Amino acid sequence: MTPEDLRAAVAAGLVTEAQAASITALADSRSGRRAAMQAEDEPFEFFRGFSEIFISIGLVILLTGVSLMLTWFGGFGLLVAVPLITAAIAWWWAGYFTLRRRMTLPSMVLASAFGAGLMIFIVTLLGQSGLDERMVGVLAFALSAAGMLLWYRRFKLPFAAFLTGLLVLGMIYAITASTANLIALASGGNGWDRLFDLTESPAFATATLLFGIGAFLVGMWFDTRDPHRLGRHAATAFWCHLLAAPALVNTVAVTLLNSGGGTGIALLSLALFVITMLALVIDRRSFLTAAIAYIALVISWVAGDSGDFGTWIFVLIVLGSLITAIGTWWVQLRAFVMKALPDFPGKHRLPPYARPE
């Protein structure tokens, strides 16, 4: 039985995720290595075929048409309730496309429509209550996140965890962000390097860092329950790590980079090495992907940071070669790192690793 067969069996409800993981673990123990799936594989499914793209386009058009029809027939008196009605329709249709048909991309479209509809309805409703604009933002993000949690609980859609995390992050930003920094960032100014600096914007940057740590821990909780990455838990972990990586990497990297001079670059280089090791250990490439821009900065500094065309050509070649090499020999690098590390709590619950050849 191939990994695809097991995933299909889990999706069809023939076996549970725990049973599929046990079957894979038994196969691994009999063969002595991770032979049940390609070693390079980090399963991620956005859609299963063009039919899902076709249906998703249809759903977007249909939901737009329904919303406009409700506005047209209901008049301005129904205008406030239209987003909520649209969200309710998305919930209704998800019963078919998500629970019955188990379609990935249409389910993501419906989840996004539900979250957007709920968010617009709450903002519109609270905007008429006379509350402070910041408070309106905080409550809207918080209530929408609660709604997305209900969506995840009902439909078990991994992408819903990503949407929930985005809404929680929006709530955190609404609470902690400095208005001046946000205006500078929105206007294309230099607010970015201050916004994620723990010394320049401590409340905002600290909240972002804590969010990243929280998303990482949630991702690891899901990862350790599906180490062979066959089912929903691993897919949910993927989206959690996709949230955690930029929050952690940007906050740490910007703070170290702003410490100045060679010391800042040295500390940034050390942090990037630790991030690379973490990505290899947990077998998630998202952390390394989020660090690519900062790796380019370090290479540029080593090259002299002159900013001329030749320097940037050198940076692109070195950066591209480095990323390509790590991606190509990811399995061998991870096996080497995992074998070199001593046993630590939870090591056996991480994805199995192949022996370096």
Side-chain angles (χ1 to χ4, degrees):
M1 179 177 288
T2 65
E4 289 74 18
D5 292 332
L6 278 176
R7 290 173 194 155
V10 171
L14 299 177
V15 297
T16 65
E17 294 176 12
Q19 289 170 336
S22 298
I23 293 171
T24 305
L26 176 62
D28 286 347
S29 64
R30 287 173 60 85
S31 64
R33 59 180 300 167
R34 193 183 186 185
M37 64 185 297
Q38 293 183 2
E40 293 87 355
D41 199 10
E42 185 180 343
F44 167 64
E45 187 176 73
F46 197 73
F47 57 88
R48 296 179 182 175
F50 193 80
S51 64
E52 291 200 2
I53 299 177
F54 191 73
I55 292 172
S56 298
I57 294 172
L59 285 173
V60 171
I61 297 173
L62 184 56
L63 284 170
T64 303
V66 169
S67 300
L68 292 175
M69 182 190 68
L70 290 172
T71 304
W72 185 25
F73 284 104
F76 288 100
L78 191 64
L79 189 61
V80 175
V82 167
L84 183 62
I85 296 173
T86 303
I89 292 172
W91 182 288
W92 172 35
W93 289 351
Y96 176 75
F97 289 103
T98 304
L99 294 181
R100 186 171 176 182
R101 294 291 300 273
R102 297 186 178 274
M103 289 185 165
T104 304
L105 188 57
S107 298
M108 295 167 71
V109 169
L110 291 173
S112 300
F114 174 81
L118 195 60
M119 182 75 178
I120 294 171
F121 170 74
I122 295 172
V123 168
T124 305
L125 194 64
L126 294 179
Q128 301 173 357
S129 65
L131 290 173
D132 176 74
E133 291 181 357
R134 185 183 289 266
M135 182 56 64
V136 169
V138 171
L139 290 176
F141 279 118
L143 293 173
S144 299
M148 286 310 306
L149 279 177
L150 289 176
W151 184 284
Y152 181 84
R153 181 177 177 83
R154 175 71 179 91
F155 300 107
K156 304 296 189 296
L157 179 69
F159 181 67
F162 178 75
L163 295 178
T164 303
L166 285 181
L167 292 168
V168 171
L169 190 59
M171 180 188 68
I172 292 172
Y173 285 2
I175 294 172
T176 62
S178 164
T179 304
N181 282 344
L182 286 176
I183 292 174
L185 182 62
S187 61
N190 61 350
W192 177 268
D193 59 345
R194 297 197 307 268
L195 203 59
F196 291 94
D197 192 327
L198 288 167
T199 58
E200 293 287 336
S201 183
F204 185 91
T206 302
T208 304
L209 184 64
L210 292 176
F211 169 82
I213 293 172
F216 171 74
L217 293 176
V218 172
M220 291 307 302
W221 186 88
F222 281 107
D223 256 341
T224 54
R225 277 150 182 77
D226 187 9
H228 295 276
R229 295 181 177 170
L230 294 168
R232 171 177 55 88
H233 286 153
T236 304
F238 169 85
W239 291 109
C240 291
H241 288 307
L242 203 63
L243 287 168
L248 288 172
V249 173
N250 283 329
T251 307
V252 172
V254 169
T255 302
L256 294 177
L257 196 60
N258 286 350
S259 61
T263 302
I265 291 293
L267 291 174
L268 176 59
S269 302
L270 178 61
L272 292 174
F273 175 77
V274 172
I275 289 169
T276 302
M277 291 299 103
L278 175 64
L280 286 168
V281 169
I282 66 174
D283 199 15
R284 289 293 184 185
R285 295 158 178 80
S286 52
F287 284 89
L288 199 55
T289 304
I292 287 177
Y294 300 104
I295 297 173
L297 287 175
V298 172
I299 297 173
S300 176
W301 182 84
V302 172
D305 199 19
S306 61
D308 58 36
F309 190 65
T311 300
W312 283 111
I313 292 177
F314 173 79
V315 170
L316 289 175
I317 291 175
V318 174
L319 179 63
S321 300
L322 180 64
I323 298 301
T324 302
I326 292 175
T328 302
W329 289 287
W330 180 274
V331 176
Q332 291 84 350
L333 287 171
R334 182 169 185 267
F336 177 80
V337 170
M338 294 298 285
K339 285 176 63 65
L341 289 175
D343 288 337
F344 55 84
K347 185 178 181 180
H348 67 285
R349 300 180 69 180
L350 292 172
Y353 51 94
R355 298 182 181 274
E357 298 178 356

